[in-house]
Amino acid sequence: MTDEHEHYEAVVVGAGPGGAAAAAALARQGVETLVLERGVDAGSKNVSGGLIYAEESAPYTIDDLFPAIREEATERPIDEYLIHNIAGDKVKTFDLDRIHHHDTDWCDAVLRRRMDSWLAERVHELTRETGGGLLTEVRVNGLLREDGEIVGVTCDELDPIKADLIVAADGVNSELARDAGLMNWDEPEDWFQGVKAVVEMEPEVIDERFGLDGEPGAAHLFSGDLFEGVRGGGFLYTNTDSLSIGTVFHLDSLAAERAEPHELLNALLTHPLLDQWLQGEYEEREYSAKLVPDSKKVAHPSPHRGRLLLVGDAAGQMQAQGPIIKGMNHAVTAGGLAAEAYADAKTRGDPTKAGELYERKLNSEGVMDQLRPTRYRATRSIAESDVVTGVGSTLINSPVGALGMKALGGAAERAFNSPFLLGMVPDSSISYVEIPIRIAEVLGEPIEGEGDTIEPPKLADRIGDLTYDVGDPHIELLDDSYAASGTAVTACPVSAEGFGGGCYRDERVQTNGEEKHLVSLDTQPCIECGTCAVVADTDWDHPSGGKGVEYKQG
């Protein structure tokens, strides 16, 4: 008898850095590997702020697996790393050179569409040699089971496929991780939301305005009072002929403050500090957004079930600890370790042990300690308590706090460069809002520059400039009451109060003489960030393969 389903030794779902690393490492071990990507091209669904690191201690780096990547697919090396603490028109800048170069072999700015599509070409070549390959425009919608055991994947566009190994590298909104019961979207505090604009700028202008000499570029971070008290901050990375400018906020804080992501991005773009670089000129190539897992809370300690192994954002492997922002490198390491674990399990005669070996490797290589520092878990309950937060806030904003800040001098900058201290930074307004403001107030100098010299695009224009191929609706609003789902109106990056052209809008409806405050949904402008799956009562899935938004920059 023959099996009714096609079979591959390994199926990798998602062709981002984690999936590409897993597929390349598997193919080089001679494993028949099929890669399935739901976008029209690898990278067309992917967004990153955009720095990829190669850590000296990592067992796998992207250039280990793809040696030509830096010459052919990244934007430019990033050598300078600065953070600007802001209070009104005062700024205090700290040099983050030590933390940036700590355990760093190299770091490059990237745009995901360019990099991921280049990786996909290499992956397709490698996997074809083992009898596999890479298919785009295929949405893997769930796990295939037999007698309760995971044996493969199901797809919108293809018949079910069986595999001895399934690597889920399908991103933060992983349907495979959810199907396996390994990840969920229950708590807004577990997630960040990133919003980004790619801004046009000629190479020579970038070098002149940022004081760059030669190939290396610069990264700038921003924190303080320009974000309406929402916990998080902003970034600016220099690319070859563009800038990546964006904001990243804790989703629970964004939701609680009813802040609108596009307006917070605009607050950064129009701040006087950015005038020294933009100088009244602004041409936005692309607007985008995504959810980001907070690895301190959701990096899965056992990211596997049966034949299924999770890598990258699907496993919550995104390190965001103060100015330490690393995700793609951890996905690459995880992808390499997943492939290594499967090869080891095969050698030992039991491929079903791949998941257990993968978990052990994540721990023995120090990956989990970076993602979920023990010191953070040990101090979190105290450091993030209302009592400590209240006392700390009072002290920081007192005259005694100001004297202490002055006395610290360079010690504050050294603290920002300490991997140990950053690994236990509490997720509180003190860390992300009040301390940066106080640093600027006490130690800062007035900004030389003007605000509001540019006019960012309207939200409707940002949405209209994106490319969509709309398929069937992929989100169902289960409870349309404002109490249950109203937060989506403000938290969704393409929605806003008083704006009728986004995914979500609120309206008051008269029914039998009673006014009801309701929320309505239009999935056509959806950019698939997944925010509403956390803050609203929805049934959320990805669009079918090749449908939905297509990012040209990423």
Side-chain angles (χ1 to χ4, degrees), residues 382-402 426 428-431 434-435 438:
I382 296 173
E384 295 178 9
S385 69
D386 292 340
V387 173
V388 170
T389 300
V391 172
S393 178
T394 300
L395 178 61
I396 289 167
N397 292 290
S398 69
V400 173
S428 67
S429 60
I430 290 180
S431 304
E434 296 187 44
I435 287 178
R438 199 62 170 148

Side-chain angles (χ1 to χ4, degrees), residues 85-87 90-94 401-413 416 435-446:
N85 301 281
I86 301 170
K90 297 184 72 177
V91 175
K92 178 60 179 178
T93 299
F94 288 157
L403 289 173
M405 195 75 70
K406 290 179 180 178
L408 281 173
E413 187 172 58
F416 274 69
I435 287 178
I437 291 174
R438 199 62 170 148
I439 287 172
E441 289 175 341
V442 176
L443 304 176
E445 298 292 336

Side-chain angles (χ1 to χ4, degrees), residues 12 16-26 53 55 58-62 65 165-169 299-300 303-304 309-318 327-342 354-355 357-363 365-368 370-371:
V12 176
L26 286 166
Y53 284 81
E55 292 186 319
Y60 292 92
T61 62
I62 195 72
L65 296 164
L165 172 71
I166 304 154
V167 177
H300 205 296
H304 59 92
L309 279 60
L310 311 181
V311 305
D313 279 1
Q317 295 166 340
M318 167 68 197
M328 288 178 279
N329 60 302
H330 294 308
V332 169
T333 291
L337 291 177
E340 182 182 298
Y342 179 73
L357 289 175
Y358 172 53
E359 180 180 338
R360 283 185 220 161
K361 290 174 185 292
L362 287 172
N363 284 288
E365 295 289 351
V367 177
M368 291 307 297
Q370 285 180 280
L371 298 174

Side-chain angles (χ1 to χ4, degrees), residues 374-384 424:
T374 303
R375 55 196 179 279
Y376 171 76
R377 286 180 280 132
T379 59
R380 177 186 179 187
S381 59
I382 296 173
E384 295 178 9
M424 57 183 180

Side-chain angles (χ1 to χ4, degrees), residues 187-390:
E187 301 298 335
E189 68 173 19
D190 292 344
W191 309 96
F192 299 92
Q193 184 202 77
V195 173
K196 171 182 164 183
V198 177
V199 181
E200 190 93 27
M201 189 171 285
E202 293 295 327
E204 61 274 11
V205 176
I206 293 175
D207 292 349
E208 177 188 351
R209 293 182 184 176
F210 286 86
L212 304 177
D213 183 16
E215 187 181 14
H220 296 260
L221 305 182
F222 308 90
S223 62
D225 68 355
L226 68 171
F227 299 122
E228 301 178 13
V230 184
R231 300 195 322 275
F235 62 86
L236 183 157
Y237 306 143
T238 58
N239 301 319
T240 303
D241 60 359
S242 65
L243 309 175
S244 292
I245 306 178
T247 53
V248 181
F249 298 105
H250 290 80
L251 185 57
D252 60 327
S253 181
L254 188 75
E257 298 295 334
R258 294 282 182 175
E260 296 180 348
H262 72 107
E263 290 292 354
L264 295 178
L265 173 62
N266 290 347
L268 173 61
L269 292 170
T270 58
H271 193 273
L273 182 59
L274 268 71
D275 182 56
Q276 63 182 304
W277 301 308
L278 299 178
Q279 296 185 14
E281 302 169 7
Y282 189 83
E283 182 66 32
E284 194 168 289
R285 286 187 187 173
E286 187 172 79
Y287 175 76
S288 59
K290 69 169 290 186
L291 281 187
V292 182
D294 184 348
S295 70
K296 300 190 301 297
K297 300 164 185 172
V298 298
H300 205 296
S302 301
H304 59 92
R305 179 151 299 168
R307 304 181 190 192
L308 175 70
L309 279 60
L310 311 181
V311 305
D313 279 1
Q317 295 166 340
M318 167 68 197
Q319 184 184 12
Q321 298 159 11
I324 300 176
I325 307 169
K326 297 179 178 180
M328 288 178 279
N329 60 302
H330 294 308
V332 169
T333 291
L337 291 177
E340 182 182 298
Y342 179 73
D344 288 355
K346 273 185 63 180
T347 300
R348 299 179 188 189
D350 190 356
T352 65
K353 297 295 184 183
E356 295 175 17
L357 289 175
Y358 172 53
E359 180 180 338
R360 283 185 220 161
K361 290 174 185 292
L362 287 172
N363 284 288
S364 64
E365 295 289 351
V367 177
M368 291 307 297
D369 189 54
Q370 285 180 280
L371 298 174
R372 298 190 69 144
T374 303
R375 55 196 179 279
Y376 171 76
R377 286 180 280 132
T379 59
R380 177 186 179 187
S381 59
I382 296 173
E384 295 178 9
S385 69
D386 292 340
V387 173
V388 170
T389 300

Side-chain angles (χ1 to χ4, degrees), residues 112-129:
R112 291 294 297 275
R113 182 64 182 267
R114 178 189 176 201
M115 182 180 77
D116 291 7
S117 61
W118 182 90
L119 288 172
E121 291 179 5
R122 312 286 89 70
V123 166
H124 187 56
E125 294 167 1
L126 288 166
T127 53
R128 282 288 297 274
E129 294 175 4

